[in-house]
Amino acid sequence: GADGSVRLWDMARNRSGRAFSVGKAAVKRLEFSPDNRELLVAAADGALKLLGAKDGKSMGEMSGAGEVADFA
């Protein structure tokens, strides 16, 4: 979100699920890994962050990526 957080929706319960703070910059893009275990987040400040999708734990970070238009 604009506040640097990621909120996941609980589809089974039709309500807001887990929420993670990923920094101060707005989240611009996110994508789950094919096995849904990791979440790649691109922020407005050019940071890329790899998080555990279950707990939001940081698994890696890269700064200075510039604006990310899409993930391949």
Side-chain angles (χ1 to χ4, degrees):
D3 62 356
S5 66
V6 172
R7 292 174 191 83
L8 302 180
W9 191 260
D10 183 338
M11 298 292 288
R13 296 184 178 118
N14 195 28
R15 65 178 185 187
S16 182
R18 298 180 300 272
F20 316 128
S21 176
V22 295
K24 295 179 181 176
V27 172
K28 295 303 230 177
R29 289 198 54 84
L30 59 89
E31 185 144 344
F32 282 93
S33 62
D35 63 5
N36 290 323
R37 292 182 182 186
E38 293 90 25
L39 183 64
L40 183 61
V41 178
D45 63 1
L48 291 172
K49 298 183 181 192
L50 184 63
L51 308 174
K54 197 171 193 178
D55 57 9
K57 184 177 178 182
S58 177
M59 301 172 75
E61 184 173 336
M62 184 176 90
S63 61
E67 186 169 340
V68 176
D70 203 358
F71 298 131

